[in-house]
Amino acid sequence: MQAQEIKQQLRLLIQEASVIDPDLAKRLEEINRWVKDIKPGSLTAKKFVILFLQQMLQDAEVWLRLKSLPSSEEQQSALTVLNPTLKYWYGYLFPKWLSENDPKFYIWRRKLMAGEFYQDDAKLINYIANNIKNCGGTIVQRYIADLSMATDIIVSSRQQRPLCIQLTSVSEELSQEKFDEWENTLIFWAIDRGLFLSYNPGTTDFVNQIVSILLSNSDNLSIGSYFKFNL
């Protein structure tokens, strides 16, 4: 989807959302104001802005289809056919983000537009995500979850219990401040459990170890736990 098409689709979704879900319409209006004066060529050159916009439009379309169902029972029924992590995203986190004030949204929008977001760990997270899928788990990755909710990836394993994960290669000695900020962010969004995993990329077979830890904690970490694990 090219920049001009994204802008057009954004305007159409705002119109539709204004009738179906005012919270979504408000968010889309914010995003529209953010990009409307950027020329298509300049917008296309901003890789992560485009990726976020594409992701946002897809989520908005899914959300509108759900909200268009005639009853709450049918909406819940539609959610049950999704895998556990998608159900958690559309059934809880995404609508919560739409309805709540997001104190980080303005900050990371500015960074995306200024080219100050690099996602250096993207290849690693994609590799981890693929391994999780190969092990029978499910995952969700969203820029909203990453940048507003301190969640690199949402993981679910055999027990179908989604778990919000933050990965960092910062050393244990330096990670406490980052952990405290992460924990406060999860509490702010009423995320009921999470795993903060600090890893050493120089460790042999560290990716498979990460996958094993994520899947195990998805099944077993108790409600109300914000667990720090040093690999």
Side-chain angles (χ1 to χ4, degrees):
M1 187 181 292
Q2 299 301 309
Q4 192 59 45
E5 186 181 359
I6 286 172
K7 287 187 172 188
Q8 181 180 1
Q9 183 66 9
L10 184 56
R11 290 191 294 269
L12 291 173
L13 286 172
I14 289 170
Q15 293 177 2
E16 186 175 356
S18 65
V19 177
I20 298 172
D21 188 335
D23 287 335
L24 175 59
K26 181 180 177 180
R27 281 291 190 211
L28 294 176
E29 283 280 12
E30 285 182 87
I31 294 167
N32 185 54
R33 289 194 298 270
W34 177 51
V35 300
K36 68 178 183 178
D37 294 328
I38 308 297
K39 293 181 179 179
S42 298
L43 192 58
T44 299
K46 298 179 184 296
K47 173 186 174 182
F48 292 112
V49 174
I50 290 291
L51 289 173
F52 162 68
L53 290 171
Q54 290 173 339
Q55 204 173 78
M56 183 67 208
L57 293 181
Q58 290 169 0
D59 279 344
E61 289 172 352
V62 171
W63 183 244
L64 286 171
R65 300 294 79 75
L66 281 169
K67 294 291 286 184
S68 296
L69 294 172
S71 69
S72 58
E73 289 79 9
E74 289 175 275
Q75 292 172 21
Q76 287 302 311
S77 179
L79 285 169
T80 60
V81 305
L82 301 176
N83 71 47
T85 44
L86 280 175
K87 181 181 178 182
Y88 183 59
W89 178 247
Y90 289 117
Y92 182 69
L93 283 184
F94 186 64
K96 189 168 186 63
W97 181 74
L98 294 178
S99 62
E100 299 285 342
N101 175 54
D102 179 358
K104 296 182 179 180
F105 190 33
Y106 172 78
I107 297 169
W108 63 256
R109 285 203 324 260
R110 179 182 55 78
K111 288 185 176 181
L112 282 184
M113 192 64 76
E116 297 172 359
F117 176 74
Y118 305 104
Q119 206 172 27
D120 295 331
D121 57 357
K123 288 184 179 179
L124 171 64
I125 292 175
N126 287 336
Y127 190 34
I128 291 169
N130 287 334
N131 283 13
I132 287 170
K133 292 175 186 176
N134 290 336
C135 292
T138 67
I139 64 99
V140 160
Q141 293 172 268
R142 292 293 191 275
Y143 288 104
I144 294 166
D146 181 6
L147 298 169
S148 288
M149 302 173 181
T151 296
D152 290 313
I153 188 172
I154 304 168
V155 174
S156 178
S157 188
R158 291 184 298 273
Q159 298 300 318
Q160 300 190 353
R161 301 177 64 206
L163 179 65
C164 291
I165 310 292
Q166 172 78 282
L167 300 171
T168 181
S169 59
V170 173
S171 67
E172 181 177 357
E173 294 79 11
L174 301 175
S175 66
Q176 187 59 47
E177 183 178 349
K178 188 171 183 179
F179 171 80
D180 292 341
E181 182 180 348
W182 167 81
E183 183 179 30
N184 289 335
T185 298
L186 265 61
I187 292 170
F188 175 84
W189 288 106
I191 294 170
D192 59 15
R193 62 193 193 122
L195 175 65
F196 182 97
L197 195 155
S198 181
Y199 65 91
N200 180 353
T203 304
T204 302
D205 199 34
F206 78 97
V207 172
N208 287 330
Q209 292 182 58
I210 288 174
V211 170
S212 177
I213 291 164
L214 300 191
L215 292 174
S216 175
N217 279 277
S218 171
D219 282 341
N220 299 309
L221 193 65
S222 60
I223 297 295
S225 295
Y226 306 100
F227 183 47
K228 182 180 180 183
F229 192 101
N230 296 297
L231 183 59

